[in-house]
Amino acid sequence: MIQKLIENIKKTNAPIVVGLDPMLGYIPEHIKKAAFAECGETLEGAAEAVWQFNRKIIDAVYDLIPAVKPQIAMYEQFGLPGLTVFKKTIDYCKEKNLVVIGDVKRGDIGSTSAAYAAAHLGRVTVGTQQLTPFGEDFATVNPYLGTDGIQPFLDVCREEKKGIFILVKTSNPSSGEFQDRRFMGSAGSDALVHGEEGANGSDSRTLYEMVGEKVAEWADSCMGETYSYVGAVVGATYPEVGKVLRRVMPKSYILVPGYGAQGGTAADLAPYFNEDGLGAIVNSSRGIIAAYKQEKYASFGPEHFAEASRAAVVDMIEDIDRALAGR
Amino acid sequence: MIQKLIENIKKTNAPIVVGLDPMLGYIPEHIKKAAFAECGETLEGAAEAVWQFNRKIIDAVYDLIPAVKPQIAMYEQFGLPGLTVFKKTIDYCKEKNLVVIGDVKRGDIGSTSAAYAAAHLGRVTVGTQQLTPFGEDFATVNPYLGTDGIQPFLDVCREEKKGIFILVKTSNPSSGEFQDRRFMGSAGSDALVHGEEGANGSDSRTLYEMVGEKVAEWADSCMGETYSYVGAVVGATYPEVGKVLRRVMPKSYILVPGYGAQGGTAADLAPYFNEDGLGAIVNSSRGIIAAYKQEKYASFGPEHFAEASRAAVVDMIEDIDRALAGR
């Protein structure tokens, strides 16, 4: 699936992913009104509004982009009807030939992680049947529990040719609370930044570097043609960290949240890419799906929210293209 | 809800929780056969088997125990039908007056964590309505993203009087990979173990201690009468760590996985409890729900699997009671 992601990126010339994180506040009133009229002010009504909103945005942008990233929390908050629309959104995007990254941030131990991996990337055996529960192409995974938690995902990735993005450095303001803490020892990231000998045998590394090094190991064990099935999440809001982690995990695709609404600029993002122009995919959620709420795209109006999203996608692609050309 | 948990524990004199983690392999053939006959070898069929299995176990043990802990991954692996049974299980357990701990290990940033908190512990607003998506009493939460990820759960806990258990030290073999790493500085856990002056201003702490200290802070901000709404997960398989963390987080209930099947013994668990005999709740999943597969309970046979579970609950309560009396 990493091959398909790369092919889609090359075909669209757009290393971007649209985050389908539909909070009710983003959805135009006319859509909610119609959904509530049909299903009531219920979880079903909310889910129907989300579905109509998603469908129109996907229809408006699918030919421009390689991938989407539905954030499952935004569906889970509407209970079972919400998760039904999560599944419907995945299926619809796959019909449109989009790569689907399930932003699920799951992570547990042994057989429990295996169940999550089957749920999102693999199949479950029921009697004589092999069935696909959700069927995303990629999933995001939390590393806190260590190799036990990751291994079942690696097994499924190999078998199904699917992929994962492991959280390494997240885009939020307090991500440093644990992720930036520095472990005992000497040398470390400075050596990496300055291109000196690596941090082998030394322990003065931050938690995110240590996780990044594990990602590199896991990535080596799960290679596609040029990139690994195992990628990493590194926030756009910490470009210096992105530079370090790019070197630590040369074979991993980096999924980059935090562009736009969270403050990351295209110029910040150039170091997340490899020399081949590949290796990173930049997410924007609110900046695309709620574009009609921005002054820049306000002239579209809520009725034409999906066209506003298309305009925002075009602008984002240009913005990143310019930054990569200029490096 | 922490009050209700404590009341239930006192009433049953059983600081235990039954993990409802129904892998298909645990479910007796006659239950699967009936479910597949009714719904086919489908996700619906698997979910129906899980539901019949759960219901019989709950009926057999609910009067002996204060709480259950359904592991959502085991339901998520059967897609939407599986999650429908997750919700049905929660509702059924609440009817039986059990406290329900959703083992969901969610964790994300800002508005996304808020969506997870609403999904599992709170309510969502849809038009003029306030609706309850899943409605657990407690949820487990992953700390890797820092305070941003936890704060929305704290807000919901305060508002709804619900609770969380934050992963601090997990029970799996590779939990130490990141959690045991020691940060730069001097002093630390040894001082705590030996009752000396705390680790203030120093940084030679492990990641689990650092997370434990944050848990203690968060716990202080969310107090019930004697214990906090904010608890922690600390595995039974690392009793020395349990001893340290008990002191680091005096107001937090500790949810203890790893007893029994994973190797933790009752004697190991005494230090997880406070002097008041409270402060910890020990989980067993497989050891209870698949008891009929153990030699000790084999005489019940698969037909009487639920009675085997009841016998295993009685034995577990005695085992822990003895260990606490003997300290």
Side-chain angles (χ1 to χ4, degrees), chain A residues 103-155:
Chain A
D103 197 353
V104 300
K105 296 191 178 66
R106 301 303 194 243
D108 209 294
I109 68 174
S111 56
T112 311
S113 251
Y116 278 133
H120 293 284
L121 302 176
R123 287 170 291 173
V124 282
T125 303
V126 177
T128 59
Q129 302 299 307
Q130 293 264 314
L131 307 166
T132 301
F134 284 101
E136 297 101 304
D137 300 314
F138 285 84
T140 56
V141 178
N142 187 307
Y144 189 71
L145 293 93
T147 298
D148 291 340
I150 302 296
Q151 191 59 51
F153 282 95
L154 301 183
D155 296 341

Side-chain angles (χ1 to χ4, degrees), chain A residues 182-203:
Chain A
R182 197 167 282 280
F183 291 96
M184 290 169 80
S186 59
S189 69
D190 290 343
L192 285 158
V193 170
H194 299 113
E196 296 158 21
E197 280 298 306
N200 298 342
S202 129
D203 268 339

Side-chain angles (χ1 to χ4, degrees), chain B residues 211-282:
Chain B
V211 176
E213 286 167 25
K214 289 303 289 185
V215 168
E217 270 180 53
W218 294 323
D220 277 340
S221 75
C222 265
M223 282 297 294
E225 286 172 34
T226 48
Y227 282 91
S228 172
Y229 297 129
V230 179
V233 174
V234 182
T237 41
Y238 302 99
E240 283 306 308
V241 172
K243 208 181 282 181
V244 172
L245 287 170
R246 175 69 289 169
R247 298 196 199 183
V248 171
M249 314 174 296
K251 303 289 175 55
S252 288
Y253 243 82
I254 300 180
L255 172 64
V256 191
Y259 168 85
Q262 284 183 55
T265 70
D268 292 337
L269 296 175
Y272 291 69
F273 289 81
N274 276 322
E275 297 297 318
D276 58 6
L278 297 171
I281 187 160
V282 182

Side-chain angles (χ1 to χ4, degrees), chain A residues 41 76 120 128 177 181 183, chain B residues 41 76 120 128 181 183:
Chain A
E41 290 180 342
E76 212 163 302
H120 293 284
T128 59
E177 213 163 85
R181 298 309 297 234
F183 291 96
Chain B
E41 291 181 341
E76 212 163 301
H120 293 284
T128 60
R181 299 309 297 234
F183 291 96

